[in-house]
Amino acid sequence: SNNSKKKLLNVSDEAINSYGAVSYRTVKEMLAGLCDQAESKTLTIAISGVAWPKRSEKKPVGLVFIGVKLSSYESEVIAELNFGDIERNKIQQKSVNEALKMSLSLIKDSWERFFFFSSVFKSLDHIKCYCFKAYGNQLLLHKWTERYL
């Protein structure tokens, strides 16, 4: 929800009001908020999208912005994807799959810069993916997966 983005990740009113909750700018601010809270050299992932049953902010069902960033580095990737008008759980599954592919790509690209690679992998011992779901006035945190490397 917009309130969750603002309260938990410090996304600005300007980003949401001017660009929408589902936008490049909002996901960029979500990544910044995650990085502010993260320990150094933490892989952060932010996803915002329109996932069925109806469109939102005049944006189509299936439109998703995914951002991936290593908290202590400038390396960041944000992608705009459209999975089409498919079921909500399929949009969520595809989003997580793309986020993991983007994460691996970001780390692989860093591999080519040896010093960056060695410092990341010496301290990156696991990856956690979380999903926040809003139900009325409650925000519930669901841990999707944790993978030790």
Side-chain angles (χ1 to χ4, degrees):
S1 72
N2 292 349
N3 287 335
S4 301
K5 289 176 175 80
K6 289 189 249 183
K7 184 176 179 181
L8 298 173
L9 301 175
N10 296 319
V11 173
S12 68
D13 285 326
E14 178 191 353
I16 292 174
N17 295 335
S18 299
Y19 301 95
V22 180
S23 67
Y24 178 94
R25 172 76 179 272
T26 296
V27 167
K28 186 168 184 67
E29 290 192 17
M30 289 170 68
L31 285 174
L34 286 168
C35 288
D36 287 345
Q37 298 173 37
E39 297 175 16
S40 76
K41 301 173 190 157
T42 300
L43 177 67
T44 61
I45 300 171
I47 302 173
S48 188
V50 183
W52 209 71
K54 59 184 179 179
R55 54 192 286 160
S56 173
E57 301 172 349
K58 300 180 182 176
K59 295 180 181 175
V61 171
L63 177 65
V64 178
F65 286 83
I66 302 171
V68 177
K69 181 173 176 48
L70 290 166
S71 63
S72 298
Y73 300 92
E74 294 300 316
S75 299
E76 167 183 280
V77 178
I78 300 175
E80 176 181 351
L81 303 165
N82 193 327
F83 298 118
D85 191 356
I86 58 176
E87 295 176 16
R88 180 179 183 82
N89 67 331
K90 292 185 191 265
I91 292 169
Q92 291 171 336
Q93 289 170 354
K94 287 178 178 279
S95 296
V96 169
N97 288 339
E98 286 300 320
L100 292 175
K101 285 181 199 174
M102 290 168 61
S103 299
L104 291 174
S105 178
L106 180 68
I107 293 169
K108 182 182 172 220
D109 289 347
S110 300
W111 178 322
E112 295 167 6
R113 293 174 242 143
F114 176 76
F115 294 109
F116 184 75
F117 166 79
S118 62
S119 65
V120 168
F121 277 91
K122 283 180 184 171
S123 62
L124 187 64
D125 62 347
H126 67 283
I127 297 173
K128 294 179 185 176
C129 295
Y130 291 96
C131 173
F132 291 95
K133 292 187 177 183
Y135 294 98
N137 291 334
Q138 290 184 319
L139 181 68
L140 301 178
L141 171 67
H142 298 278
K143 183 167 66 166
W144 279 10
T145 185
E146 183 168 1
R147 174 84 187 221
Y148 287 88
L149 303 174

